[in-house]
Each structure stands twice: as C-alpha cells, then as structure tokens.
Amino acid sequence: MLPEKVQLLERIACILDCFNAESRQMGVRQVARKINLSVSTTGRLMQAMREMGLLVQDPTTSLYGIGPRVLSWADAYLASLDVRTLALPHLQALHRETMETISLYILDGDARICVERLESPHSLRLVAPLGQRLPLYAGSAGKVLLAFLPRDEQEALLEQIDLHPLTPHTITDRRTLLRELETIRAQGYAVSHGEWIAEANGVSVPIFDRTQAIHAAITISGPAQRLTDEKIGAFLPQLLAAAREISLEMGWRPLPALTILTRGGLARAPER
C-alpha cells in the first residue's frame, strides 16, 4: 500500500497522462474511466488541480485541459535539451549507414562551429577540429544555417561577412549567394561542391527547435570522388529523416501542409 501522499501524486500524474495531442480536452467521466477511479474522487482531484493551475476548464463545455503551470514546466524542460546529446544516436546511425563523416554544426555569431563529428572510417576523409569557427557562406552547413534565419538577421550577417574565395568554387557574389539561400530554404537542404575545401562535397539539413527556429545543421561530407551527387541523392532521405527526429525531440512540431514556421517565415518541413 502506497503512503497517502505518494498515492495522491501518482493519481495526479495519471490524470495528467490522460491528456495528449489527440485528447487535448476531456471530461471527468472520461478521465475516471481511463485511470480506473471513481467519478467523484476524480472530479475532486481535477478541481483541485484546476485551482493549482495544473488544469484549465472550459466554462462552456466543462471539459478540462492541461494548465499553464504544466506548460511552463514543459517549456523549461525543452529549453534545457542539449542538441548534441539528442542528436548523437542519430548521427551514429547515419555514420554506420553512410560510412562518411557526419558533423553537427551550430551558429556562432557570424560563423559556424562543429560541436560533434564522427569521422569516416575510410583512409581518405575530411578532418576538422571540433570547436573550430568556419565560414557561413561556404559549405553546405553554413548555407543551411544562413538560409533559415529570419531575413533581418540573415541580411545583418551578410553585411558583416567578407565573401572572399576559399576555393575556386566559393560563392563570392552576394546576389548569387542570396539566390542559393532561397533555393535551400525552398527545398529544405543544401549541397556544396568544393566551396570550403577543394575536392570535397557535402550535404546538410536543418534541425529546428520548439520555437520553430533553426537550431543546428547535420552534414554528411566526404571527398568528391566518393561522395558524388548520386551518393548524396541516396543519402538525403536518411539525413532528412534523422533531422526530423532530432527536431521532434527538440520540441519542434510540424505545421499543416508539411510546413514549419522558422523565425524568418514559412519553409518546407524536414521530412522528405
């Protein structure tokens, strides 16, 4: 037999567990049936939970829903999530499937930083130290991070960045880069061919957080002779699927018509 206070907490948790995306509002009788408790006891508990801010009650239908106090706890939990920790199992799966270098990048001012990298087992591979600041305008990860920023932030960053050539394939014309960013935003991923490192290709997709904003980018990269356009096309569905799962774990939720709202506007959701 559980102590009275523990039993009370367990019943409150069971009541909260009844509410989800499919059952956002429920009546006392519905909840009572789900938790196998009497209607009178369930009603008293739910009324007390409403007074505590754990539940809200529709004055018209008398149905209950999750209250603001619970939502504030959920927001605090989601804000504490570490994208590197959440992403690592997905990066490891991609690494096993592709046998290429898998990297996770975040925005850092006017640059990008690699916060996780799993190197390809091939003898010929790309290697860059973790924590190194790399350009946003060159390479698929940088372009993804730029593409999904709000327009004002994107423009402010581009004003700061000197688009100097790193290789013969680096985009150094502002208008060309803006057109490229629009394409990336529309299709939901970026590809690069020798823009940052000569003879190296990459493909990157965005990760979104609970605010629907871009939070990070995952990249598959490798030597151009091995990571061909054909290979990139074959790996892309797995990459997009991984990004979608990480985004969901970060609190992102898809909007209708398979779109997501970034801080800068509407864009395709990462689910191809």
Side-chain angles (χ1 to χ4, degrees):
M1 187 75 175
L2 289 173
E4 187 176 344
K5 289 183 179 180
V6 175
Q7 186 181 60
L8 178 61
L9 286 172
E10 185 180 52
R11 287 176 173 178
I12 289 172
C14 287
I15 290 171
L16 292 174
D17 283 342
C18 291
F19 297 91
N20 53 48
E22 287 72 40
S23 303
R24 297 183 181 184
Q25 288 192 318
M26 300 185 72
V28 173
R29 291 183 181 278
Q30 288 176 282
V31 174
R33 283 196 300 270
K34 278 181 170 288
I35 65 174
N36 196 28
L37 203 61
S38 70
V39 173
S40 58
T41 301
T42 303
R44 285 195 301 272
L45 281 171
M46 293 178 71
Q47 185 177 0
M49 291 169 70
R50 184 195 65 185
E51 292 170 359
M52 295 168 63
L54 300 179
L55 295 177
V56 292
Q57 188 175 25
D58 188 313
T60 304
T61 64
S62 296
L63 297 177
Y64 286 87
I66 291 294
R69 195 168 183 179
V70 176
L71 294 176
S72 69
W73 293 339
D75 191 59
Y77 166 72
L78 290 170
S80 71
L81 295 179
D82 174 19
V83 66
R84 180 181 171 276
T85 301
L86 291 178
L88 188 55
H90 302 281
L91 303 185
Q92 290 169 334
L94 283 171
H95 188 250
R96 288 192 299 269
E97 293 162 2
T98 66
M99 302 294 284
E100 294 294 352
T101 297
I102 311 296
S103 306
L104 180 69
Y105 290 93
I106 60 171
L107 190 68
D108 181 51
D110 61 354
R112 57 186 164 108
I113 286 182
C114 181
V115 294
E116 186 59 80
R117 168 168 287 127
L118 303 177
E119 293 181 12
S120 168
H122 295 291
S123 56
L124 183 60
R125 61 183 183 270
L126 301 183
V127 178
L130 292 177
Q132 181 179 353
R133 299 182 87 247
L134 300 171
L136 284 175
Y137 66 96
S140 58
K143 291 189 297 184
V144 157
L145 292 169
L146 264 180
F148 288 95
L149 283 176
R151 294 288 189 265
D152 56 344
E153 289 185 33
Q154 184 186 95
E155 290 172 6
L157 279 174
L158 289 176
E159 287 294 328
Q160 301 174 33
I161 296 171
D162 175 23
L163 304 181
H164 62 277
L166 302 172
T167 75
H169 302 289
T170 304
I171 300 174
T172 57
D173 178 72
R174 181 184 171 87
R175 289 184 180 179
T176 302
L177 180 59
L178 286 171
R179 286 196 298 270
E180 174 84 350
L181 297 180
E182 285 295 333
T183 299
I184 293 165
R185 195 180 181 91
Q187 67 189 12
Y189 63 90
V191 176
S192 65
H193 297 91
E195 296 174 12
W196 170 49
I197 299 175
E199 302 302 321
N201 291 345
V203 56
S204 298
V205 297
I207 293 172
F208 300 97
D209 63 21
R210 71 191 191 286
T211 69
Q212 309 292 0
I214 185 159
H215 192 90
I218 312 176
T219 302
I220 300 175
S221 56
Q225 65 191 61
R226 193 170 66 236
L227 190 61
T228 61
D229 284 341
E230 184 180 6
K231 280 283 188 70
I232 287 173
F235 293 155
L236 187 56
Q238 299 157 277
L239 187 59
L240 287 164
R244 175 183 170 80
E245 289 303 311
I246 299 166
S247 296
L248 288 169
E249 291 176 29
M250 290 291 295
W252 169 84
R253 291 297 179 265
L255 297 181
L258 301 183
T259 60
I260 54 86
L261 184 61
T262 71
R263 289 179 295 169
L266 288 173
R268 293 291 295 180
E271 59 165 28
R272 295 187 182 188

